[in-house]
Amino acid sequence: MHLATRLVLVGLVAIPSTSAWAHAVLERKEASPDASYRGVVQITHGCAGSPTTRVSVTIPEGVVGAKPMPKPGWQVTTTKGAYAKAYPYYHGLISGGVKTITWTGSSLPDDQVDEFTFFSRISDAFVPGQTVYFPVQQDCEKGSYSWSEIPAPGTSVHALKEPAPGVRIVAAQSVASVPTHTYTVGDLRISHPWSRATPASAKVAGGYLSITNTGTEPDRLTAAALDGASRGEVHSMSMEGGVMKMAPVEGGLEIKPGETVTLKPGGYHLMFLDMKAPLKKGEPVKGTLTFERAGTVAVEFDVEGIGTQAPAGEGHVH
């Protein structure tokens, strides 16, 4: 039995973990049409002891707007082409884009684990009940695995030697069941502030949201506050020499005219310090955001589960 590649698509509907016997799996196996898709390809083993030197993911027809995330130490390349038809996208139709994403130029030892990330969107070409397959090619110094086999109708994926990871399409949540909040201050539109639940002993919490500048002048997010925290800061997160580093954004975070800036895990975010009590899933917390030109606006942060990568119902990623 080969144990090589696990493909993890994060930010959709959580499901139980898959058994260890699987060749390649989708940790979150359910997705909805017309929704964003954050894929994390997790390589857990090499090829019979040989280190992995190349990872390539095929983006299937109907999954559009794919973009890879740069990875320190690896070179990322893409192959682009025309789609079979034009698909609805955020601000119109899209008729072509990335077909494959490949990471090369480094070496992942057999006894180590690493991740390769991309963003994309599931189009409305899929309907509930279908399965979308993402073939993964893993090449090593000696040997390779081609996780690309797709089961024929009526057959089981477990009978395949090197099955392609798949995700099942399910109906989207009812809009009424997904709490979303939008606030306006000056020329700024603030969408869905949220945070993660925190352990009882935690003294810090993160804050996430999207800000759209509908005006003609730039503005800056300079401060934030949350009930139960002594202070709030705007932070950036970056990779330096393979090490993740976080630091306050000096002078505030700029939002240019016509631009949407998204604060999210792994990027720009709010950091709330000296928390007096833990945040609990499902219990919103009041706070404020302060801008250089627009002033201060009161908001409410939804609290999602620990480890959540995107708020419930999130579908538009910039």
Side-chain angles (χ1 to χ4, degrees):
M1 179 186 307
H2 304 303
L3 293 176
T5 309
R6 298 179 62 207
L7 179 59
V8 183
L9 296 184
V10 182
L12 299 170
V13 182
I15 66 166
S17 59
T18 305
S19 301
W21 52 258
H23 298 287
V25 299
L26 300 176
E27 184 180 63
R28 303 187 180 209
K29 293 191 175 183
E30 294 184 349
S32 298
D34 198 29
S36 295
Y37 218 23
R38 182 179 187 271
V40 180
V41 182
Q42 187 177 57
I43 302 298
T44 60
H45 291 277
C47 306
S50 180
T52 300
T53 57
R54 180 179 181 272
V55 176
S56 185
V57 180
T58 297
I59 307 300
E61 179 71 25
V63 178
V64 300
K67 297 179 180 180
M69 179 180 289
K71 182 171 182 60
W74 295 76
Q75 297 174 353
V76 60
T77 57
T78 60
T79 300
K80 298 181 180 180
Y83 299 144
K85 66 174 187 177
Y87 295 94
Y89 204 46
Y90 297 123
H91 307 297
L93 295 176
I94 185 171
S95 58
V98 171
K99 295 296 192 75
T100 61
I101 301 172
T102 303
W103 289 267
T104 57
S106 190
S107 178
L108 175 62
D110 175 67
D111 60 352
Q112 295 182 18
V113 177
D114 210 341
E115 297 176 335
F116 304 79
T117 303
F118 65 92
F119 292 83
S120 61
R121 186 174 183 83
I122 302 293
S123 76
D124 60 3
F126 299 102
V127 297
Q130 288 184 289
T131 299
V132 184
Y133 293 96
F134 288 78
V136 175
Q137 177 69 32
Q138 177 189 0
D139 295 329
C140 304
E141 288 185 0
K142 296 181 180 179
S144 64
Y145 293 119
S146 181
W147 308 110
S148 59
E149 294 180 288
I150 296 175
T155 63
S156 172
V157 68
H158 306 311
L160 302 177
K161 182 179 179 181
E162 295 184 351
V167 58
R168 186 164 62 92
I169 303 301
V170 298
Q173 286 182 282
S174 169
V175 172
S177 69
V178 180
T180 58
H181 306 295
T182 300
Y183 307 85
T184 301
V185 56
D187 293 323
L188 303 181
R189 186 174 70 248
I190 300 157
S191 301
H192 204 160
W194 66 285
S195 186
R196 291 166 166 163
T198 58
S201 60
K203 296 299 181 183
V204 299
Y208 317 104
L209 61 146
S210 292
I211 308 168
T212 299
N213 187 345
T214 63
T216 59
E217 298 291 334
D219 207 338
R220 289 179 179 274
L221 174 62
T222 58
L226 188 75
D227 286 359
S230 295
R231 68 185 192 279
E233 299 176 349
V234 184
H235 279 210
S236 65
M237 187 171 286
S238 61
M239 293 290 295
E240 294 184 16
V243 178
M244 188 72 76
K245 293 189 176 182
M246 186 169 59
V249 178
E250 299 296 335
L253 178 61
E254 184 179 22
I255 303 97
K256 298 178 181 178
E259 180 180 75
T260 295
V261 175
T262 300
L263 285 73
K264 60 186 178 181
Y268 288 115
H269 61 280
L270 302 176
M271 182 63 72
F272 299 111
L273 308 170
D274 300 327
M275 298 290 295
K276 302 300 188 295
L279 300 182
K280 298 180 180 180
K281 182 179 178 180
E283 298 184 7
V285 183
K286 296 185 182 299
T288 60
L289 303 171
T290 301
F291 298 90
E292 188 175 69
R293 295 184 66 253
T296 299
V297 59
V299 299
E300 188 174 69
F301 289 82
D302 290 326
V303 180
E304 308 286 353
I306 294 176
T308 298
Q309 292 296 315
E314 182 66 46
H316 192 159
V317 176
H318 285 269

